[in-house]
Amino acid sequence: DTEVTQTPKHLVMGMTNKKSLKCEQHMGHRAMYWYKQKAKKPPELMFVYSYEKLSINESVPSRFSPECPNSSLLNLHLHALQPEDSALYLCASSQAGQGGGRSEAFFGQGTRLTVV
Amino acid sequence: DAKTTQPNSMESNEEEPVHLPCNHSTISGTDYIHWYRQLPSQGPEYVIHGLTSNVNNRMASLAIAEDRKSSTLILHRATLRDAAVYYCILRGPITGANSKLTFGKGITLSVRP
């Protein structure tokens, strides 16, 4: 199984709502990533988890709260978002550690989020 | 992350070879050169990667300069399905603050029928 599965595929939420995005992989990868992608722009790194610990937070606003409950699952909790947070949210996974650079990363198809 | 530089766009004719260049003059000795592509409305997908030697797989070939400061992704026969944004990314050991997988602007490949 070489898939990264993201749910839901589409999400519309109000600015006062709380919602969560889910990402799952069963490749034994110990590095997992969240990205935000606006139209016609490259993916922008938000968070990196390495061995289930948050290793990188790219100064993301606190209304985005990541969670890695186990080595296969990554969540992104959303609260009090703004319309400008509407974007495609991508999850990725890869091997971690010293050999991580020699292995490819796998991406999910993303969650298309619209904040109204 | 060491930085990569790619042209903004390139056009190709269907069934002709395509050479997509990437410059990475600040590459370190432990960095692998990775290429990913993103088709419209999809997540990025892995294409190929290498360290020093040229690499071939079913999707493409990767030619790496001897000094490793540049590389070229080669699609041997472009198809309409190859129209995408192609990203060249450097990846070192995935440890702590070095765990980033950072995308540059990429190169947009258009394929003419």
Side-chain angles (χ1 to χ4, degrees), chain A residues 12-66:
Chain A
V12 179
M13 62 184 290
M15 289 188 284
T16 58
N17 291 160
K18 286 186 181 181
K19 297 286 185 184
S20 296
L21 309 184
K22 179 181 170 182
C23 173
E24 198 163 6
Q25 57 87 16
H26 298 285
M27 293 176 277
H29 290 166
R30 303 302 293 277
M32 296 187 76
Y33 311 77
W34 278 117
Y35 291 86
K36 173 182 177 181
Q37 186 173 28
K38 302 284 268 185
K40 300 201 181 298
K41 298 289 186 182
E44 183 182 334
L45 185 65
M46 300 174 72
F47 302 104
V48 181
Y49 274 82
S50 181
Y51 299 100
E52 295 85 70
K53 293 195 186 313
L54 183 64
S55 59
I56 293 176
N57 176 344
E58 293 284 68
S59 302
V60 178
S62 60
R63 58 186 184 269
F64 296 91
S65 175

Side-chain angles (χ1 to χ4, degrees), chain A residues 31 33 35 37 41-43 45 48 50 55-56 58 88 90 94-98 100-105 107-109, chain B residues 30 32 34 36 38 41-46 49 87 91-106:
Chain A
Y33 311 77
Y35 291 86
Q37 186 173 28
K41 298 289 186 182
L45 185 65
V48 181
S50 181
S55 59
I56 293 176
E58 293 284 68
L88 180 68
L90 293 161
S94 75
Q95 290 186 18
Q98 291 296 326
R102 71 171 78 99
S103 69
E104 63 261 42
F107 288 80
Q109 293 303 300
Chain B
T30 55
Y32 284 76
H34 285 237
Y36 293 80
Q38 189 171 21
S41 302
Q42 294 191 23
E45 65 173 340
Y46 167 80
H49 75 284
Y87 297 100
R91 291 265 279 169
I94 312 303
T95 56
N98 296 318
S99 301
K100 295 184 181 184
L101 174 59
T102 304
F103 288 80
K105 294 180 180 178

Side-chain angles (χ1 to χ4, degrees), chain B residues 13-74:
Chain B
N13 294 319
E14 197 176 11
E15 307 214 349
E16 291 186 356
V18 181
H19 291 234
L20 303 176
C22 181
N23 287 323
H24 29 79
S25 58
T26 59
I27 190 170
S28 75
T30 55
D31 284 341
Y32 284 76
I33 302 158
H34 285 237
W35 283 81
Y36 293 80
R37 72 179 185 181
Q38 189 171 21
L39 303 171
S41 302
Q42 294 191 23
E45 65 173 340
Y46 167 80
V47 177
I48 200 166
H49 75 284
L51 184 63
T52 56
S53 303
N54 295 344
V55 183
N56 300 299
N57 67 20
R58 63 175 180 80
M59 289 182 71
S61 295
L62 177 60
I64 301 173
E66 196 168 333
D67 64 4
R68 300 210 324 127
K69 294 186 176 181
S70 65
S71 61
T72 302
L73 178 70
I74 303 165

